[in-house]
């Protein structure tokens, strides 16, 4: 049984004060959410403040990116041990915005994921096809290539610590959610590739869906057999909306 994981990706939003105000409103709303993992990924400058505000709660802190380098002349970068220093337990790597806007490659994503695992931080490895790739019937090829490249060299015995986020690029921030059937088809394909890559460990890996997840569509998405969580952008900026997403099971009951 895979434990659901709901993660907030705040992207380039929220000052420290705004982030603290979110946590103050959010924690009471999710205090009884003990059957799921909840993760918040603020901007780097708010990590420390959010980490302190989350202390004593079950909500975990995440970064949105990391350097694969441990230290040195890498202006503008942040190393894994610095994320650990402020309490990060997860880090998003290979988000499509980083792949398309900042030229991140599968090799680079794999190097970041390896550095995170070495420090016992869970990588959330993002994959997903563009609209052009989907329309050209290349979705499964793209996913296969991204998975092979982004997971290359990662230790087999650490599979369960790695989270995969399937985020069709055409659904991110567009309000166009993949239908549960389209999402499940991609997730089932990813699950097969993970089994091939990691053996039985592939069954323990959690695969999140990302792309315009909202309180009103999360429940049907989460009902799919290979959807184990959500990576949420826009709707995670509002404490009430994100708490409803965390409580997706309530709508099912
Ligand atoms: C994301 O940031 O990863 C994302 C899926 O954004 P949104 O929920 O806004 O589509």
């Amino acid at each position: 049984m895979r434990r659901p994981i709901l993660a907030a990706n705040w992207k380039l939003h929220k000052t420290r004060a705004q982030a603290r105000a979110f946590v103050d409103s959010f924690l009471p709303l999710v205090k009884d959410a003990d059957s799921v993992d909840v993760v918040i990924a603020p901007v780097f400058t708010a990590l420390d403040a959010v980490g302190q505000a989350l202390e004593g709660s079950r909500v975990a802190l995440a970064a949105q990116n990391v350097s694969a380098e441990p230290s040195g002349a890498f202006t503008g970068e942040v190393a894994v041990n610095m994320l650990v220093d402020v309490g990060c337990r997860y880090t998003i790597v290979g988000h499509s915005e980083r792949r398309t806007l900042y030229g991140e490659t599968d090799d680079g994503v794999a190097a970041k994921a390896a550095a995170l695992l070495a420090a016992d931080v869970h990588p959330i490895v993002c994959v997903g096809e563009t609209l052009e790739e989907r329309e050209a019937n290349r979705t499964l090829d793209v996913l296969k290539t991204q998975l092979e490249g982004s997971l290359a060299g990662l230790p087999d015995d650490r599979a369960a610590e790695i989270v995969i986020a399937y985020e069709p690029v055409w659904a991110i921030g567009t309000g166009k959610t993949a239908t549960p059937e389209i999402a499940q088809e991609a997730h089932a394909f990813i699950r097969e590739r993970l089994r091939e890559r990691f053996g039985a460990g592939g069954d323990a890996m959690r695969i999140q869906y990302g792309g315009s997840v909202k309180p009103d569509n999360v429940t049907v998405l989460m009902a799919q057999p290979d959807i184990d969580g959500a990576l949420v952008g826009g709707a995670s900026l509002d404490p009430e909306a994100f708490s409803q997403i965390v409580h997706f099971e309530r709508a099912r009951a």
Side-chain angles (χ1 to χ4, degrees):
M1 187 66 184
R2 294 179 293 266
R3 191 173 158 86
I5 176 167
L6 295 312
N9 173 16
W10 283 354
K11 309 192 188 194
L12 187 51
H13 295 286
K14 294 194 194 292
T15 61
R16 287 179 306 159
Q18 290 165 341
R20 272 192 297 256
F22 175 105
V23 175
D24 287 348
S25 306
F26 180 68
L27 287 183
L29 297 173
V30 297
K31 62 179 186 320
D32 56 348
D34 48 13
S35 57
V36 298
D37 287 340
V38 184
V39 178
I40 297 179
V43 294
F44 283 130
T45 51
L47 280 173
D48 197 16
V50 172
Q52 288 182 35
L54 292 178
E55 251 169 48
S57 80
R58 275 189 295 257
V59 178
L61 186 68
Q64 299 176 18
N65 186 25
V66 67
S67 172
E69 301 294 339
S71 63
F74 301 101
T75 302
E77 295 293 298
V78 175
V80 176
N81 71 318
M82 297 163 186
L83 300 183
V84 171
D85 188 39
V86 291
C88 282
R89 288 169 43 210
Y90 293 82
T91 296
I92 300 167
V93 289
H95 190 281
S96 67
E97 287 153 16
R98 299 223 48 95
R99 290 177 185 265
T100 52
L101 300 173
Y102 303 101
E104 290 209 357
T105 61
D106 291 331
D107 286 354
V109 173
K112 291 177 180 193
L116 289 165
L117 283 176
D120 293 328
V121 179
H122 298 276
I124 300 178
V125 178
C126 301
V127 295
E129 80 288 359
T130 62
L131 183 59
E132 199 182 20
E133 288 162 344
R134 175 161 285 272
E135 286 178 347
N137 280 327
R138 293 185 47 227
T139 297
L140 302 184
D141 286 345
V142 168
L143 293 179
K144 186 169 187 285
T145 304
Q146 287 181 341
L147 286 166
E148 278 171 8
S150 302
L151 300 174
L154 301 185
D156 289 357
D157 61 349
R158 307 292 297 277
E161 296 163 64
I162 304 166
V163 178
I164 304 294
Y166 167 62
E167 299 205 304
V169 179
W170 47 271
I172 298 178
T174 59
K176 289 186 200 157
T177 320
T179 63
E181 294 73 27
I182 288 178
Q184 168 57 26
E185 184 189 30
H187 280 235
F189 178 80
I190 291 169
R191 178 81 57 211
E192 273 310 308
R193 302 289 76 70
L194 296 178
R195 285 191 189 115
E196 273 172 20
R197 168 69 179 78
F198 293 104
D203 280 311
M205 293 175 73
R206 293 176 295 178
I207 310 174
Q208 297 176 308
Y209 168 79
S212 300
V213 173
K214 309 272 184 252
D216 62 4
N217 61 26
V218 65
T219 307
V220 284
L221 288 161
M222 290 298 292
Q224 300 301 311
D226 288 295
I227 300 185
D228 309 310
L231 181 56
V232 188
S236 76
L237 294 170
D238 174 59
E240 180 64 39
F242 190 49
S243 75
Q244 287 173 22
I245 290 171
V246 166
H247 285 297
F248 70 92
E249 278 169 324
R250 279 189 187 160
R252 189 185 290 169

